[in-house]
Amino acid sequence: MKLHKGTPENLEGRQEKEIQTYRFLEKIGVEFWQMDHEEAATMEACEEIDKALDATICKNLFLCNRQETDFYLLMMPGDKVFKTKDLSAQIGSARLSFAKPEHMQKYLNITPGSVSVLGLMFDTEKRVKLLVDKDILNGDTIGCHPCVNTASLKLKTSDMFEKVVKALEHEPQIIELPRYEK
């Protein structure tokens, strides 16, 4: 796993949504580092990738309410345990659960294991609400997928929230999830 600055030189064989991610970041003038790797299917694999990235481990969860009418993308530290009751109270939405893969595909153009804040560029109808745990804001850099889980990106946290999220036009709601003893 090698970290390279900017868009990979060779885009052949990459999915269109990954290429669109690089083009989006270039267009808004965000400096980033990219790394190709094996499919990141577990948090353990993500931890190895994040060590190589040397960035804040970010867990991205795609959630919905019981009626499947409200959708949320939650960015939280990878080392925090997620309990729906902690989030439900803060956002006023009871009965949260993980959204179905078909909703993920429809609104974010991504598949399970590839959830990324960058998928919000495909949410043109603004159906997904962005939720950010305040602890994510504390690191200097943040890692995320470019809408596929065979590559990862490293960006400055300030760029993520001052440039990327702003350009995505999804105003984040800052939440505070408790840290449980493991």
Side-chain angles (χ1 to χ4, degrees), residues 25-169:
L25 293 172
E26 289 171 349
K27 181 181 173 186
I28 63 171
V30 171
E31 182 177 67
F32 65 96
W33 293 262
Q34 186 272 355
M35 178 175 63
D36 290 319
H37 50 72
E38 295 295 318
E39 184 176 342
T42 65
M43 276 312 288
E44 291 77 24
C46 290
E47 286 174 12
E48 286 299 312
I49 293 162
D50 287 328
K51 282 180 192 171
L53 283 178
D54 189 28
T56 298
I57 299 172
C58 185
K59 193 179 331 185
N60 296 284
L61 305 177
F62 189 54
L63 308 165
C64 67
N65 63 352
R66 182 183 204 166
Q67 299 81 11
E68 298 180 345
T69 55
D70 295 329
F71 297 91
Y72 306 92
L73 177 61
L74 170 62
M75 296 175 70
M76 63 181 286
D79 64 348
K80 272 192 176 181
V81 175
F82 175 67
K83 295 187 179 183
T84 57
K85 68 179 176 85
D86 298 325
L87 180 59
S88 293
Q90 291 184 58
I91 64 171
S93 181
R95 303 275 190 181
L96 287 176
S97 64
F98 292 98
K100 294 177 183 170
E102 50 267 25
H103 293 303
M104 196 179 293
Q105 183 67 47
K106 179 179 179 179
Y107 297 119
L108 302 177
N109 190 26
I110 51 180
T111 56
S114 302
V115 179
S116 170
V117 65
L118 294 165
L120 291 172
M121 72 179 153
F122 300 107
D123 181 26
T124 56
E125 297 175 13
K126 309 295 185 241
R127 291 288 312 272
V128 181
K129 295 174 184 87
L130 178 60
L131 307 173
V132 179
D133 183 283
K134 73 174 188 78
D135 288 346
I136 288 293
L137 305 172
N138 296 334
D140 292 331
T141 58
I142 190 166
C144 66
H145 292 306
C147 299
V148 296
N149 66 355
T150 53
S152 291
L153 304 176
K154 175 180 178 176
L155 298 88
K156 293 177 187 170
T157 304
S158 58
D159 283 349
M160 174 62 82
F161 292 100
E162 294 166 16
K163 294 180 181 178
V164 175
V165 171
K166 185 176 180 178
L168 292 170
E169 299 177 349

